[in-house]
Amino acid sequence: MFNKTLGIDPKLYEYLKLVSVREPSILKELRQETANYPMARMQIAPEQGQLMALLVQLMGAKKTLELGVFRGYSSLAVALALPDEGTVIACDISQEYTTIARHYWDKAKVSHKIDLRIAPALETLDKLIAEGQGNTFDFAFIDADKSNYDNYYEQVLKLVRPGGLIAIDNVLWGGKIVDENIKDNRTQKMRALNEKIYNDSRVNISLIPIADGLTLLLKR
Ligand SMILES: C[S@@+](CC[C@H](N)C(=O)[O-])C[C@H]1O[C@@H](n2cnc3c(N)ncnc32)[C@H](O)[C@@H]1O
């Protein structure tokens, strides 16, 4: 996992941020507070948060889904970009991580847009499908445990509306994706999912080499 764009010359990366990343002060504060926290690398990069916010605004998205909240950076970036009646159903299993997320959502005055579901994300997705919420989400961000990514992809495809957008994080997996010597379960599963999506006629695809790799999918 990388909380900055990988594979780019450091000087060029600083320039990219200098001339393009307009990180809202509340997100900057959360990122700085998380920097010294164990697992800080799990947090998405500021340029990725900004891209997701821009996409949500571009689409006029209102109903969104997030799998993997951690300390709330990506959900906050999206919630800030949503209209006042917009919603993020935010899924995580950790009370500890999400306590700080709640604090920042409150501080940013977007708590009313975020519906936090503490449960394994697959259970929450199954429930949403059972409730008849299939084909109703405009945007979904997949960033929870990698071993379940394929299951998340299939469930999220049911929930997002035709013409809606799915963003899948960490698809370049710190570069391990192309290292033939690395054969652990999570890396193999990420490779398999990337190949499956490439051949999947249910979606249009673009893999953006931002942060740790973000695949964008338009549901046909
Ligand atoms: C990479 S972090 C998410 C980072 C977050 N999007 C951000 O911007 O900071 C992954 C999160 O997935 C959560 N997670 C792990 N297994 C999960 C599961 N089965 N269901 C839901 N969330 C899970 C972890 O608790 C962790 O907070």
Side-chain angles (χ1 to χ4, degrees):
M1 273 168 238
F2 276 73
N3 57 2
K4 60 182 189 174
T5 289
L6 59 91
I8 183 170
D9 172 82
K11 210 168 160 186
L12 209 47
Y13 183 51
E14 286 312 309
Y15 178 77
L16 175 155
K17 286 194 291 180
L18 192 69
V19 300
S20 73
V21 178
R22 296 176 180 161
E23 189 177 34
S25 55
I26 186 78
L27 284 173
K28 193 171 188 175
E29 197 183 319
L30 172 56
R31 187 167 53 77
Q32 286 171 344
E33 192 185 324
T34 302
N36 296 320
Y37 186 81
M39 309 302 285
R41 277 158 43 107
M42 293 211 296
Q43 193 171 64
I44 63 163
E47 60 273 23
Q48 179 180 340
Q50 185 171 284
L51 171 67
M52 287 165 46
L54 185 142
L55 291 170
V56 158
Q57 283 178 316
L58 193 64
M59 298 173 71
K62 286 190 179 156
K63 190 172 175 184
T64 75
L65 187 57
E66 171 167 292
L67 315 185
V69 175
F70 187 43
R71 303 185 106 214
Y73 190 99
S74 48
S75 44
L76 181 52
V78 168
L80 288 168
L82 288 174
D84 205 48
E85 70 277 21
T87 54
V88 183
I89 294 186
C91 309
D92 207 290
I93 46 171
S94 171
Q95 285 287 4
E96 185 198 331
Y97 292 156
T98 55
T99 297
I100 191 84
R102 283 181 193 273
H103 169 74
Y104 275 88
W105 298 337
D106 281 346
K107 201 168 172 182
K109 300 190 171 28
V110 295
S111 291
H112 61 290
K113 299 184 195 175
I114 304 177
D115 175 0
L116 178 63
R117 310 275 179 104
I118 298 288
L122 277 178
E123 281 180 18
T124 303
L125 297 177
D126 285 346
K127 207 168 160 200
L128 293 170
I129 292 165
E131 286 166 4
Q133 298 202 46
N135 291 313
T136 63
F137 286 82
D138 301 307
F139 173 77
F141 179 47
I142 301 178
D143 191 20
D145 51 313
K146 311 308 156 198
S147 49
N148 266 316
Y149 259 33
D150 196 347
N151 295 325
Y152 293 147
Y153 173 61
E154 289 300 333
Q155 297 300 70
V156 162
L157 256 182
K158 292 180 189 151
L159 288 162
V160 168
R161 64 169 168 82
L165 184 67
I166 302 169
I168 307 182
D169 203 20
N170 309 108
V171 295
L172 297 179
W173 201 224
K176 289 189 281 184
I177 207 86
V178 289
D179 185 336
E180 289 165 10
N181 298 316
I182 298 181
K183 293 183 175 144
D184 63 88
N185 189 39
R186 289 192 302 171
T187 307
Q188 302 263 46
K189 282 194 163 178
M190 191 64 88
R191 285 185 190 124
L193 180 61
N194 284 341
E195 283 159 32
K196 169 178 163 170
I197 289 173
Y198 178 70
N199 292 305
D200 192 340
S201 60
R202 296 173 293 178
V203 289
N204 292 352
I205 174 172
S206 182
L207 194 167
I208 313 293
I210 193 168
D212 198 19
L214 183 70
T215 289
L216 298 181
L217 302 167
L218 173 86
K219 178 175 166 182
R220 289 182 175 166

